[in-house]
Amino acid sequence: MSEARDLHDLSLLLRCQTPLVVLETREERRAVELLRQALKQQPKPFFTWSVVSGLARQDLSLDSQNAPDASEPRRLLEHIRSSRHPGLYVLFDFHPYLEDPALIRLIKEIALAHEQLPRTLIFVSHQFDLPGELKRLSAKLELSLPSSDEIRAMIAEEARRYSEQHSQQRVRTDREVLDKLTRLLSGLTHNDVRRLARNVIYDDGAISEDELPEINRAKFELLDMQGVVSFEYETAKFADVGGLRVFKRWLTERQVFFSGTPPQGLEAPKGVLLVGVQGGGKSLAAKASAGLLGLPLLRVDFGALYNKYHGETERNLREALKLAEAVAPCVLWFDEMEKGLASDDNDGGTSRRVLGSLLTWLAERRSPIFVVATANAIEQLPPELIRKGRFDEIFFVDLPDAAIREDIFRIHLRKRAVDVAAFDLPALAAASEGFSGAEIEQAVVAGLYRAHAAQQPLQQQELLEALTTTQPLSVVMAEHIAALREWAQGRTVRADA
């Protein structure tokens, strides 16, 4: 159990006389309670500090304000350094003050004197990095997140509380939905698990399938990686994707792994790389993958990963991958991957370090995360990424053929409540030779605007005019598309074959 493991690890750090301990958690009360339990076996004076409350002793049953002027960080550290008694000091949210060289030196002097006078500083914060000169004097502990059994026990406890408060009314649910809720709440703290479980139960006295997407959204917001990672709230249905017959069949065969307990002998799918013509439907296919697998979809924005400060880009990637593991099972979508991983001699080696971190994660991850990577310029991707074994398969998404173009017209006309029977779809497909799915959609949109301006229903002629006044990408970038098709020959599986 996570509680016993955390108590064991914390007690061990205290027994080992570590002068500086970094405790990363968002659960301050839980951290303090664990310290109380650890100190039962190793009694010593126990203090807490915050910039608001100052310094207070916690191991005595009296209202004691020690060092009343110690609310200011420097005075606090000077007070601890001058103290002639051993003690354990828990400092909440001290990280903003570690840019002051004087404070760093004070902390170092307290730590260096630990063998003569054991005064232990424990820094409690949601995220905390000690300066380099202090790291060798410290140990870091991140409080464990609750296990599946603990999550289920907390859900059951909240259900009992609801029943007691509502005339013994039982919470309505079933085992399958309860299993899904348990998986969704993994990766959250004890407090957050209880709060989300309480929210879903107290809403209507039930835990139902249609409430789970909202739990997913709330979970993502709690994990807080907006900007670098986005949660795609609307995942497309495969009915909204024209063509891609082979890719659809391939993905459907792997759906069983994410639909419950996977059959024995089946390895977890790693993911796919979708390459092809811009606007051909790669992004829509990524969204549809999550819809088919019944998983939340996280999208990584490689542009948002990059930071001008050394090491921050790699840290952003690590945090993004950590978030995906917390949300798992999920689909993780790397959109236009080449923009973040293309080699650049002028970036100080950042792209190479990001690539190294990503390759290591792809090889070592154990969480049920299905990766969908999309790329328009495959030649810009490093060869280490696209070699066999990184992804289960590389699919090439070409421009749609005539039959698929008919499907795409049908999809987008129906999507806009237009009567498909009024149109000659084969003629439209013939007129849109060389058009991508995105370009066909824009032709439908343009035709609707023409019809609205003429104050009449959309007709065949408006669509034909919209097609003839547009130069498709296959003409504008003919050489690039030809080179892409040549590269894909023999290296990829055609998604429409």
Side-chain angles (χ1 to χ4, degrees):
M1 301 290 279
S2 62
E3 200 79 14
R5 184 169 61 251
D6 288 339
L7 180 58
H8 171 270
D9 292 345
L10 191 54
S11 299
L12 181 61
L13 286 177
L14 298 180
R15 285 199 303 272
C16 291
Q17 299 292 306
T18 309
L20 306 177
V21 176
V22 173
L23 197 55
E24 284 196 344
T25 180
R26 296 181 184 272
E27 298 180 287
E28 290 185 0
R29 291 183 179 179
R30 181 168 171 250
V32 170
E33 185 55 37
L34 282 170
L35 284 165
R36 288 188 196 279
Q37 295 180 44
L39 289 172
K40 287 180 180 178
Q41 301 173 354
Q42 315 167 55
K44 64 175 65 175
F46 172 31
F47 303 85
T48 59
W49 175 91
S50 75
V51 71
V52 173
S53 303
L55 189 66
R57 188 160 180 172
Q58 300 293 330
D59 61 316
L60 297 177
S61 57
L62 51 89
D63 210 7
S64 172
Q65 289 295 323
N66 297 290
D69 61 346
S71 60
E72 196 274 325
R74 179 159 184 163
R75 289 181 181 176
L76 164 75
L77 294 176
E78 288 174 344
H79 169 80
I80 296 173
R81 184 183 61 167
S82 63
S83 172
R84 297 295 92 196
H85 303 285
L88 187 146
Y89 297 84
V90 179
L91 312 183
F92 295 115
D93 296 328
F94 204 83
H95 56 280
Y97 308 110
L98 287 182
E99 295 182 1
D100 186 339
L103 298 186
I104 294 173
R105 183 62 203 177
L106 280 167
I107 293 171
K108 189 172 184 179
E109 290 184 4
I110 293 168
L112 291 173
H114 190 270
E115 288 189 10
Q116 292 76 37
L117 188 57
R119 294 159 300 188
T120 303
L121 303 185
I122 298 185
F123 300 97
V124 177
S125 180
H126 73 288
Q127 187 173 307
F128 200 98
D129 282 322
L130 283 171
E133 56 265 57
L134 299 178
K135 282 188 176 179
R136 292 189 175 218
L137 301 167
S138 71
K140 193 170 189 176
L141 176 63
E142 186 174 349
L143 291 190
S144 302
L145 299 172
S147 65
S148 296
D149 289 341
E150 288 172 319
I151 292 172
R152 188 179 287 274
M154 284 186 275
I155 296 172
E157 185 177 340
E158 294 302 326
R160 281 195 299 273
R161 287 181 180 175
Y162 176 88
S163 180
E164 291 168 0
Q165 296 173 19
H166 293 79
S167 306
Q168 302 303 314
Q169 176 184 334
R170 292 176 60 86
V171 175
R172 303 183 306 280
T173 189
D174 60 57
R175 181 177 295 276
E176 183 179 354
V177 172
L178 192 58
D179 287 342
K180 289 182 179 179
L181 178 61
T182 301
R183 290 197 298 270
L184 284 181
L185 294 178
S186 66
L188 294 177
T189 65
H190 293 71
N191 290 342
D192 289 336
V193 167
R194 287 189 180 280
R195 183 159 60 84
L196 292 185
R198 193 177 303 127
N199 287 348
V200 70
I201 290 170
Y202 278 72
D203 179 42
D204 57 1
I207 303 173
S208 56
E209 182 87 31
D210 58 1
E211 293 174 302
L212 300 183
E214 190 59 37
I215 293 292
N216 242 330
R217 298 180 190 185
K219 175 180 178 179
F220 179 79
E221 290 168 1
L222 285 170
L223 294 170
D224 190 24
M225 273 291 286
Q226 291 285 359
V228 175
V229 183
S230 59
F231 188 100
E232 298 291 323
Y233 294 113
E234 298 296 332
T235 53
K237 300 176 182 177
F238 257 119
D240 297 332
V241 183
L244 306 181
R245 291 181 292 268
V246 173
F247 176 61
K248 291 176 181 178
R249 183 173 67 248
W250 185 94
L251 196 61
T252 301
E253 292 170 352
R254 284 150 182 82
Q255 183 181 12
V256 63
F257 188 87
F258 298 100
S259 60
T261 303
Q264 291 185 350
L266 288 183
E267 295 184 3
K270 298 185 182 77
V272 295
L273 175 59
L274 302 177
V275 301
V277 180
Q278 192 169 359
K282 299 184 298 298
S283 297
L284 191 58
K287 295 180 181 181
S289 300
L292 178 67
L293 296 176
L295 300 176
L297 176 63
L298 303 185
R299 176 177 171 270
V300 175
D301 181 351
F302 267 99
L305 281 177
Y306 278 75
N307 189 294
K308 65 180 179 180
Y309 295 108
H310 181 79
E312 283 301 303
T313 300
E314 299 93 297
R315 176 173 180 154
N316 284 342
L317 177 63
R318 288 195 300 271
E319 290 296 322
L321 298 176
K322 184 179 178 181
L323 172 62
E325 290 177 344
V327 174
C330 66
V331 174
L332 184 60
W333 172 23
F334 294 109
D335 193 20
E336 297 187 344
M337 212 175 193
E338 71 273 20
K339 290 185 177 179
L341 296 177
S343 299
D344 188 347
D345 296 332
N346 299 318
D347 67 358
T350 297
S351 60
R352 299 301 303 175
R353 292 194 298 273
V354 168
L355 174 63
S357 298
L358 181 59
L359 293 179
T360 300
W361 180 81
L362 287 172
E364 297 179 356
R365 77 184 191 274
R366 295 293 179 265
S367 301
I369 299 172
F370 186 80
V371 174
V372 177
T374 59
N376 297 319
I378 189 68
E379 71 279 359
Q380 294 181 18
L381 286 177
E384 306 98 302
L385 183 67
I386 57 178
R387 73 165 177 79
K388 286 292 185 182
R390 301 297 186 196
F391 297 95
D392 293 317
E393 197 58 83
I394 301 177
F395 287 95
F396 179 66
V397 182
D398 205 346
L399 292 172
D401 60 23
I404 295 173
R405 292 197 298 275
E406 283 191 42
D407 285 341
I408 295 172
F409 273 110
R410 187 178 293 107
I411 288 169
H412 289 298
L413 289 170
R414 284 177 177 168
K415 187 176 180 180
R416 291 160 177 83
V418 177
D419 183 12
V420 177
F423 296 87
D424 184 351
L425 295 184
L428 290 173
S432 58
E433 175 73 31
F435 279 64
S436 69
E439 289 166 336
I440 290 174
E441 181 179 11
Q442 287 307 306
V444 173
V445 171
L448 283 167
Y449 272 108
R450 288 172 185 265
H452 179 75
Q455 297 183 343
Q456 64 181 21
L458 178 63
Q459 299 178 6
Q460 181 98 356
Q461 187 59 34
E462 278 88 11
L463 291 180
L464 291 172
E465 288 177 2
L467 293 171
T468 56
T469 55
T470 300
Q471 283 284 21
L473 202 65
S474 61
V475 174
V476 177
M477 300 185 66
E479 296 81 4
H480 171 77
I481 293 175
L484 184 59
R485 285 171 172 157
E486 183 179 353
W487 180 91
Q489 189 69 31
R491 292 186 174 96
T492 65
V493 174
R494 288 184 60 86
D496 279 319

